[in-house]
Amino acid sequence: MATRPFDLAGSPLFIAEGIFAAEIVAECRRRGVLAGAYALRRPRGATFVRRLSRDLAEQRKAPRVLVRRGVALLRAEPAVLRRQTGLGAEAARAGEVLRRVAGLLAGHPHRS
């Protein structure tokens, strides 16, 4: 795994996003730079349809492969969310995450 440093000087917040973002929660907390850590909790069926529509439109692979892959990801999603929350992220819906980040930017941190 590659690593590279980045400088947060002058930044009120940084946002790490994606399936591996939870991997840095503990270290960010240890360094005192963690304002919040969230794992998106979305309706699985909607995620499946959205992902399949995107992949079909982009013709990423054969439709049969995309459906099979989508079903596998649909089934794996609860385990992914459990892993992310196990690493310290809080499961939340997208609207709640947006409200909390807006509060952080406005100087009103969320208190759990």
Side-chain angles (χ1 to χ4, degrees):
M1 177 186 310
T3 62
R4 82 184 110 180
F6 64 98
D7 185 3
L8 297 175
S11 299
L13 293 173
F14 79 94
I15 296 176
E17 169 285 316
I19 194 165
F20 298 111
E23 302 287 337
I24 66 171
V25 170
E27 184 63 18
C28 288
R29 182 174 285 124
R30 187 185 73 72
R31 292 178 183 226
V33 297
L34 184 69
Y38 309 104
L40 285 181
R41 182 179 38 213
R42 293 183 166 163
R44 290 174 32 198
T47 299
F48 170 80
V49 169
R50 191 170 35 254
R51 181 185 294 128
L52 182 61
S53 298
R54 178 201 64 203
D55 291 349
L56 287 170
E58 294 177 4
Q59 300 179 352
R60 292 176 174 223
K61 290 182 172 55
R64 188 178 85 238
V65 172
L66 294 174
V67 170
R68 207 170 342 143
R69 176 181 169 270
V71 169
L73 290 171
L74 175 80
R75 290 180 179 151
E77 196 166 319
V80 170
L81 187 60
R82 277 193 306 276
R83 183 172 190 288
Q84 290 172 331
T85 57
L87 290 169
E90 178 185 345
R93 298 210 179 272
E96 180 64 18
V97 172
L98 291 173
R99 282 189 293 281
R100 291 180 186 187
V101 170
L104 290 167
L105 288 169
H108 307 291
H110 165 74
R111 301 281 184 227
S112 296

